[in-house]
Amino acid sequence: MVNQGRPLGPLYPGSGERGDRLAPTALGRERQVALYRLLELNRRVEERLSRLYRQGKVVGGLYSSRGQEATSVGSAFALGPDDLLGPLIRNLGSLLVRGVRPREIFMQYMARAGSPTGGRDGNLHFGDLARGIVAPISMLGALIPVMAGAAWAARRQGRETVALTYIGDGGTSTGDFHEGMNLAAVLQAPLVVIAEHNGWAYSTPTSAQMRIRDLAQRAAAYGIPAEMVDGNDVLAVHGAASRAVERARAGGGPTLVEAKTFRMRGHAEHDDAGYVPAGERAVWEARDPLARFRAHLLAEGLATEPELGEIAAGIEAELDADVDAALSSPLPAPERALGGVWEAGR
Amino acid sequence: MVNQGRPLGPLYPGSGERGDRLAPTALGRERQVALYRLLELNRRVEERLSRLYRQGKVVGGLYSSRGQEATSVGSAFALGPDDLLGPLIRNLGSLLVRGVRPREIFMQYMARAGSPTGGRDGNLHFGDLARGIVAPISMLGALIPVMAGAAWAARRQGRETVALTYIGDGGTSTGDFHEGMNLAAVLQAPLVVIAEHNGWAYSTPTSAQMRIRDLAQRAAAYGIPAEMVDGNDVLAVHGAASRAVERARAGGGPTLVEAKTFRMRGHAEHDDAGYVPAGERAVWEARDPLARFRAHLLAEGLATEPELGEIAAGIEAELDADVDAALSSPLPAPERALGGVWEAGR
Amino acid sequence: MSGEATYLEAVRRALWDELEADPRVVLLGEDIGRYGGAFRVTAGMLERFGPDRVVDTPISESGFVGAAIGAAMMGLRPVVEFQFVDFAANAWNMIVNFAATCRYRWGQGVPLVLRGPSGGGVHGSAFHSGCPEGFFCHVPGLKVVAPATAEDAYGLLRAAVRDPDPVLFLEHKFLYRRVHGTLPEGGSFARLGEARLARSGRHLTVVTWAAMLHVALEAAAALAGEGIELEVIDLRTLQPLDEEAVLASVRRTSRALVLSEEPVTGSFAGEVAARIAEAAFPFLDAPVARLCCPDTPVPYSPPLEEVYLPNAAKVVARVRELLAF
Amino acid sequence: MSGEATYLEAVRRALWDELEADPRVVLLGEDIGRYGGAFRVTAGMLERFGPDRVVDTPISESGFVGAAIGAAMMGLRPVVEFQFVDFAANAWNMIVNFAATCRYRWGQGVPLVLRGPSGGGVHGSAFHSGCPEGFFCHVPGLKVVAPATAEDAYGLLRAAVRDPDPVLFLEHKFLYRRVHGTLPEGGSFARLGEARLARSGRHLTVVTWAAMLHVALEAAAALAGEGIELEVIDLRTLQPLDEEAVLASVRRTSRALVLSEEPVTGSFAGEVAARIAEAAFPFLDAPVARLCCPDTPVPYSPPLEEVYLPNAAKVVARVRELLAF
Ligand SMILES: Cc1ncc(C[n+]2csc(CCOP(=O)(O)OP(=O)(O)O)c2C)c(N)n1
Ligand SMILES: Cc1ncc(C[n+]2csc(CCOP(=O)(O)OP(=O)(O)O)c2C)c(N)n1
Ligand SMILES: [Mg+2]
Ligand SMILES: [Mg+2]
């Protein structure tokens, strides 16, 4: 089962094959360092979660985005404070960009009372409109129409809000993807959809999901612009997302951004991804988005090794505290299960 | 509400604007005359139905295909006896091509015991695998995956069957259209989808349904071939459908054929279609598919006026008999309502 | 607006009045704009309120229900029209898993009304005649309303639009032009969740809603001549159910018949019957019975649909059996 | 194949044996090929039967259920796997309006099995824990099977594949690796539509299915020590319901509790309760009761899910109340 759906060689100018220069960016030093911190935080939060999972502390499954951090972080970094984010289960990095604290995520995964859902739902299934976050449901594709409607509504209210959400290669085959994209196009909703093309939907390669190579091609059916980027180049993702956000804000309607990337772990923690050919994995390991961005910062003189080391150390200290806080926090009281489907008193 | 979705001027070489030459065809005289007979039959059956409707004999709504006869007849005429047809509510002509008798249709619309469904369902909601007909459900889009699966299954069984079905411009916005087309492409199912672009979904113009001009553009999302034809040129429709059928039979997978046409009556008999601009209607009235094909037959010396008159007379005699038979046939016995959801004895 | 109105007109006025009263109210659906909707419920609204508030959508029920969910989260009050409520089937996942779960899972309200014509009696056949309350009343987080009168169509729709949670509002197309009522002058609305005593009686309680209310009242009138007094309860809101009103009545009459226009197996009528049978057991002098439709799709031909649907004669016959118990 | 097997293994073997026995049988679903399915039910089948019979599909539940309907019409015997039965929600229209209505409307059988893991107890939260029988048992034309034992998982799945009509086959994921049984040697299968007397007793009938059977048996064992003898009926097939088996038992015991893992309102448990209450009324010494889940989505955190799900202690408490009635 070779993945015929996408090329394993050079993806675009700017990707690994040209001495690994990242895409040009308008971001200054400080912002780039902030980006780096988020990428590191994303990875390290997930490393902690893996450890907690192995210790049996995670309730249910764990879904890693290792290798895809740049698509989450780079895209969410293009949003302003009044914008909306609709993350999927692997977009932990996007949540961090929106200011979600690691302890909230640890508590979610460990089903604690102090988690954003108070233990009613798990993993990244939580939202908070105060931080511009809409919670997904598991059914893939469903967020697209919802975010399209949210974006349209905000615009109707005279707000400048742009909504950004995600879809996997697998998710683009759902009816909701189609209905949502088409509706967004018709309404000219200020919506940005990041299609994370990691080549696999669970164990199913893109070639068994569709007969096109690029997800961007799906945009033709809706008459909306699309852009393809190297999803492992955080600056490329940020650039494309920013252009799409700007277009949306200016009234130009929705954009589909395809980010080619790779899921460096299994679908979930229990999955060893034995179905992924070794060659494919190796190609992508050489394109690790963190390593590449780190190399870029150092090569461009935007940061020094000690500075980056300090960032990592700061993160580790924060995570030590957050893991401890989460671990020592209580499970919810049983009554929390009951009621609450309608507004109280109704 | 101007219909910006499609041009009202010349559609393609071969359409009304060039002295109305129809598309070249490989069909001989006899087959062309047979086609003509079917077009006339389609129109006249619907004229009878209109009359019955005004007389209060039709139970429920009546959905006319006047003006679109060439898309139904021309496409179904490309099928062989072992092929499968999945008609929608306006594809009365396709059913006639498959050998459905007008009296069956009259009885369906009048809810008689002798109708194909024995009065359990109405209008064109009936099927008969012996004649290669799969009944639709009302929910638009649903037939696409079903016909894709039927086509795939037949092929798996070593049969040469091709399945042909329809979708309106409006129907292409459904999730099922997307899921079905994508699956057909992945399975390389021998499926032909005729997209009848009549510019309106009930009262909603194409421009309010999608931001593309041509339905054919939707094929790009699935990596399958598409063809656009003048849907009011029966030879053009037949030609495109035949090419698609041949491709499917040869293992080339699904094709989307877009036929540009126009619904000369309202969505249903109760609808005066006041929302259609007069200019649009006038343009299409000048392109009446029957008149054009008739002119073609006469101009090419394939038939004479008296011959065509005889065909019409023969049809009228048949319909007189069929209407009488249907009118004098009984309504179903009440017990017919009960049971029958599962195979008897189970 | 107020005054004498058909059920259809009552729905129309409720929407109109809410559009006037609250700029957050928006309508979405197929052909609801210039055309005014397949049943003309939204006639004139595009002209009055503009295309930003009356939105013709592509044929994509899941898509536009989803969009309405997003819009509701952003503070609008979307009212979605299904051309026929049967087409809500295409938005099933969106309604059941998205709209209905957000408050419980992450505390986010989704004030949304999903409305459209349901019900049979007009020879619409399987896909234009459905009464889907049995499905939707099993969805935690969704409210379900099914008015039987013009007054309630008006008052409960206005209440539904103002409700902070998702409401499925089942209009009954057989009633659209067949029942009339006087709409209230002022601004006081019905509340969701309250049943109505449609007729008092002491021999047996008929619990029903929507078009079947009128069947029950017809049967009650017929039986009154013989001195049999039916009490008729119009549930109006099915979810949340006004269980107390039902039980109070059955405790008095000691007999109950639940009457609905659903295939009987898995019907909401079954839920009501089960609750009565459990909670009013000591008061019952006869089994709690149901009169519903057979377990088939809705058939098309008039004699078949007549067999399929409950009517007053069938109610009378069943009541006699229960009274003889 | 035969011999000792888990419930999961029983499902696997039933599919395997049907694939061997009938070349018309094909499997469709997400990740069922090389990966062998999210729960490994189809492990090894791609290798043995090839990609023409074990088809990995794109993520498009409505699409592949639709394709299976078409394939069934053409003479195949498709078995569709939902990765979780919750995702059947995305194929709702296709199942309810297409698969289930064809025979009634135009005489066309659709021999199709829709199967997948249902149920809670594994902290899967709202979208990976559902028991959707209450929805699907309300669909005329659809059969619904929910085995509680490995034997039935095997026998009823083989019977479902051979059935001429669409069958929803609800496996219970909590049971996959927790219950065992001995699979039959020969070729004689269970029949759909027959309940099983899982335990005889004379004081009260518990009617249940799937994972709750084991809860009922646990409660019965606990109460047996005090001389309280529960009769436990495992419905196995929910639609069509073996009403006679249920009624025969209740006529003997005079008391009934319907136990299920569904939100209570609109549950199939309500249907069963309503039928008992109506048909066995003269025999009842206590109200027909239900023990189900509260009307919320399935919560995630273990203490919450524990409150949500029925268990033996809750059954024992409810039984005591009913016996004291
Ligand atoms: C409608 C639906 N069907 C099935 C699933 C089960 N499922 C969860 S993740 C997944 C694969 C997703 O693949 P993709 O969209 O490419 O996202 P990725 O995991 O690669 O980020 C599947 C099939 C689901 N969540 N939703
Ligand atoms: C899923 C779904 N939603 C709504 C409807 C109601 N409806 C019936 S026909 C129609 C318009 C169809 O337009 P189009 O697909 O362009 O076909 P046409 O009538 O023009 O041939 C609508 C909205 C339906 N049948 N199915
Ligand atoms: Mg993927
Ligand atoms: Mg159209």
Side-chain angles (χ1 to χ4, degrees), chain B residues 82 84 129 148-162 190, chain D residues 22-26 52-53 68-78 111:
Chain B
D82 295 333
L84 276 180
L129 287 192
W152 168 77
R155 186 161 209 86
R156 239 196 103 271
Q157 293 163 319
R159 290 148 73 180
E160 296 242 299
T161 302
V162 170
Chain D
D22 185 349
R24 297 173 306 169
V25 176
V26 295
D52 257 12
R53 299 186 65 197
I69 292 171
M73 287 182 187
M74 294 306 285
L76 296 187
R77 292 281 173 157

Side-chain angles (χ1 to χ4, degrees), chain A residues 138-140 170-171 173-175 201-205 208-209 267, chain B residues 179 183, chain D residues 27-42 54-65 79-88 90-91 115 117 128:
Chain A
S138 290
M139 289 70 185
L140 293 168
S173 298
T174 60
Y202 207 147
S203 74
T204 306
Q209 299 171 44
H267 169 66
Chain B
E179 295 197 2
L183 194 57
Chain D
L27 312 185
L28 295 97
E30 289 151 359
D31 306 296
I32 64 170
R34 161 115 184 258
Y35 192 67
F39 286 85
R40 309 287 169 158
V41 168
T42 56
V54 182
V55 183
D56 271 326
T57 59
I59 304 177
S60 42
E61 280 75 9
S62 186
F64 61 76
V65 169
V79 180
V80 169
E81 172 171 302
F82 294 115
Q83 202 155 82
F84 289 81
V85 156
D86 310 71
F87 299 126
N90 291 52
R115 53 160 288 277
H128 293 75

Side-chain angles (χ1 to χ4, degrees), chain B residues 17-31:
Chain B
E17 281 61 39
R18 273 197 336 161
D20 209 16
R21 271 194 106 89
L22 302 192
T25 184
L27 292 174
R29 196 195 73 85
E30 215 170 310
R31 299 270 285 154

Side-chain angles (χ1 to χ4, degrees), chain B residues 231-256:
Chain B
N232 283 20
D233 172 353
V234 70
L235 296 179
V237 173
H238 178 260
S242 299
R243 287 185 288 278
V245 166
E246 279 331 301
R247 177 181 301 121
R249 219 183 295 287
T255 302
L256 184 67

Side-chain angles (χ1 to χ4, degrees), chain B residues 68 90 138-140 167-172 174 196 198 200-202 209 263 267, chain C residues 30-31 59 61 83 87 90:
Chain B
Q68 303 187 184
R90 270 186 234 296
S138 290
M139 288 70 186
L140 293 168
I167 192 79
D169 39 292
T172 65
T174 61
E196 295 184 280
N198 63 10
W200 300 86
Y202 208 146
Q209 300 171 44
R263 196 190 71 198
H267 169 66
Chain C
E30 289 150 0
D31 305 296
I59 304 176
E61 279 75 8
Q83 203 155 80
F87 299 127
N90 291 53

